[in-house]
Amino acid sequence: FGTYCYIIFAFILDCAFAYYMHSVIVNWPVNHLVTVNVLYFSSAELSERMGLLHYMKVMMFITIAERVVPVSDERVQVSDENFDGVEVIVYQPTQQQETGELRRAIIYLHGGGWCLGSSRMGPYDLLAKHMVTELNAVIVSVEYRLAPAYHFPAQFEDVYRVLKYFLRVDVLKGYHINPERIAVSGDSAGGNLAAAVAQQLQKDPEQHVQLKAQALIYPVLQALDLNTPSYQQNQHMPILPRTLMVRFWSEYFTSDKSFLRAMMANRHNNHESAALLKFVNWSSYLPDSYSQAYNYSAPTVVTGKSSVRSIGPHHLLADPRASPLLVPDTTLRLLPKAYVLTCEYDVLRDDGLMYVTRLRNAGVDVTHEHYPGGFHGALMFTTWPTDFDIGHRMMDNFVSWLKQNL
């Protein structure tokens, strides 16, 4: 009860701040949503400090508010399934084409910082049905476990199990799937998981069916440097400010608050992870137009036994299953063609830009689509009350690429 009383009080206080932000971000279609963003962030922070609810439990209200019950219609058949112990929602065409042509397939992974989100949110349900009808495809939306109840690598393992199960010859045959026309895709943290499983699948000697494409929508790809130019430029932007993204990373790894404080200060690397900073050197991998206004400074490397205790699970930082940007070129060369979407007003912009550069340098066919007026999470803005043109443009362009490349 105390939390809800605070939310009402915070709404009044945050309106003043929202009015100011409205005057600053005049070109954004999300002006009228700034109040809601600030309300959630401040309410979650205070609620946790007061011992009422965990930060992410308050944030989960966003997921609950957009939750729907996916149902079949005249064109799309929807079913709840279980793939190797993991809950999934399968979307497929209601009728088989008269030609008997085998279908495409996309394994889709929702965003939410590994802590929030669900395939059962309205925008994801809309996207899945749109892909089914436009591509004559089977869509597998994965309900992977979430932090803080489950930390890394639980999320990755759930997604990888689904992928391996779905790529079995008998399963593909049952869904009338062409084994040469399968992609993995996801947005934000889902983009992270999509990139990670694509890399791991290529290295699996027992895997015979491989992916044709990976489509990453404003993906988060590394946890070593949380002070890239885009983190600096967009640290106070709505939807995904720096503090929230860092909080997502921390919760993904551990519940240790000392690790969160170290990440906030960008002082969470040790010698093991520091050896991989060469793959996150944004002065080398960012186009000049994005890096020239900033002076590169490598993150601080913390040493000593006391510092190890203070930064928590430092060894996870170097795990490519968490940070796909950290793999060597020899791994990147094996990857299928890629679609990478980035947005100007997004702390994760530079993660995507660096991955595009590294993939191209490794010889991978990459389509990079950048939205100069875009913001993180825009793909979700396709249903009432956040039905915006930019969300529909992103969805249409993304599906168009799949139609041409899958």
Side-chain angles (χ1 to χ4, degrees):
F1 176 77
T3 300
Y4 291 105
C5 288
Y6 170 71
I7 288 176
I8 296 173
F9 177 66
F11 180 84
I12 299 173
L13 295 179
D14 292 334
C15 281
F17 179 74
Y19 178 81
Y20 166 74
M21 290 296 287
H22 178 89
S23 66
V24 173
I25 316 175
V26 293
N27 293 322
W28 279 34
V30 292
N31 287 336
H32 62 288
L33 293 178
V34 173
T35 300
V36 177
N37 264 261
V38 177
L39 174 61
Y40 270 119
F41 299 155
S42 57
S43 299
E45 183 72 28
L46 188 59
S47 173
E48 184 170 74
R49 291 188 179 186
M50 295 174 63
L52 299 174
L53 284 176
H54 187 280
Y55 185 96
M56 289 303 169
K57 285 190 177 294
V58 178
M59 295 297 294
M60 183 58 78
F61 293 157
I62 300 173
T63 299
I64 296 171
E66 294 202 57
R67 195 175 183 91
V68 298
V69 178
V71 295
S72 303
D73 57 32
E74 66 276 6
R75 294 183 298 176
V76 182
Q77 178 183 333
V78 182
S79 59
D80 292 322
E81 306 290 346
N82 189 292
F83 285 3
D84 194 19
V86 181
E87 182 182 351
V88 300
I89 305 175
V90 178
Y91 297 79
Q92 56 186 314
T94 300
Q95 296 181 340
Q96 178 77 359
Q97 288 186 337
E98 294 181 2
T99 61
E101 180 182 2
L102 294 177
R103 298 162 173 163
R104 302 176 173 99
I106 300 101
I107 297 91
Y108 195 87
L109 313 172
H110 69 78
W114 311 283
C115 301
L116 312 173
S118 168
S119 299
R120 291 183 169 81
M121 295 173 71
Y124 288 125
D125 181 59
L126 175 66
L127 174 62
K129 289 179 176 177
H130 185 64
M131 287 193 286
V132 170
T133 56
E134 291 295 313
L135 303 172
N136 186 39
V138 173
I139 312 302
V140 178
S141 267
V142 185
E143 285 287 273
Y144 54 85
R145 288 171 291 177
L146 299 176
Y150 300 95
H151 298 299
F152 172 83
Q155 294 80 352
F156 170 87
E157 291 173 344
D158 284 356
V159 173
Y160 198 60
R161 285 208 308 273
V162 167
L163 192 63
K164 292 275 289 182
Y165 177 89
F166 186 68
L167 293 181
R168 284 169 33 185
V169 174
D170 59 321
V171 175
L172 295 178
K173 185 177 180 180
Y175 286 105
H176 308 288
I177 302 298
N178 185 336
E180 297 181 354
R181 304 183 76 181
I182 303 170
V184 64
S185 181
D187 61 294
S188 193
N192 167 281
L193 293 168
V197 295
Q199 292 178 2
Q200 294 299 312
L201 193 71
Q202 292 287 348
K203 297 189 293 184
D204 190 335
E206 299 180 355
Q207 184 60 43
H208 302 294
V209 178
Q210 291 290 339
L211 299 171
K212 183 176 182 180
Q214 56 177 324
L216 316 177
I217 300 170
Y218 34 77
V220 48
L221 297 169
Q222 59 86 26
L224 300 193
D225 190 352
L226 304 178
N227 202 35
T228 64
S230 60
Y231 268 104
Q232 296 180 53
Q233 173 189 329
N234 300 304
Q235 62 180 313
H236 299 303
M237 286 294 175
I239 312 301
L240 187 67
R242 181 182 183 273
T243 52
L244 180 57
M245 188 61 241
V246 174
R247 182 70 181 249
F248 281 146
W249 267 122
S250 177
E251 295 288 355
Y252 190 31
F253 288 140
T254 180
S255 297
D256 184 355
K257 292 298 186 290
S258 66
F259 189 59
L260 170 61
R261 292 191 293 271
M263 295 192 88
M264 286 292 183
N266 211 32
R267 295 175 58 87
H268 54 287
N269 286 280
N270 73 334
H271 284 299
E272 182 181 358
S273 60
L276 299 175
L277 282 171
K278 60 185 178 181
F279 296 130
V280 195
N281 186 331
W282 49 262
S283 66
S284 299
Y285 294 122
L286 283 185
D288 289 341
S289 58
Y290 293 101
S291 61
Q292 62 185 5
Y294 300 88
N295 294 319
Y296 178 74
S297 177
T300 301
V301 179
V302 183
T303 59
K305 292 184 179 180
S306 60
S307 63
V308 170
R309 288 195 299 270
S310 67
I311 64 174
H314 58 283
H315 61 284
L316 299 179
L317 296 169
D319 194 322
R321 296 174 301 168
S323 295
L325 189 60
L326 305 185
V327 298
D329 290 346
T330 52
T331 298
L332 295 180
R333 293 191 189 105
L334 302 174
L335 293 174
K337 68 175 67 175
Y339 172 88
V340 181
L341 184 156
T342 57
C343 295
E344 182 66 23
Y345 300 105
D346 183 3
V347 294
L348 301 178
R349 180 197 67 205
D350 295 347
D351 281 21
L353 291 174
M354 287 189 286
Y355 203 48
V356 166
T357 299
R358 292 205 59 216
L359 287 171
R360 285 177 174 165
N361 289 348
V364 178
D365 180 4
V366 182
T367 298
H368 175 217
E369 188 159 26
H370 183 70
Y371 287 78
F375 52 92
H376 192 84
L379 183 68
M380 297 289 287
F381 287 39
T382 54
T383 59
W384 187 90
T386 57
D387 190 358
F388 296 153
D389 176 68
I390 189 171
H392 289 282
R393 282 193 288 118
M394 281 187 178
M395 181 169 64
D396 291 342
N397 292 340
F398 163 57
V399 173
S400 177
W401 184 87
L402 289 171
K403 185 176 293 186
Q404 297 172 23
N405 291 276
L406 183 61

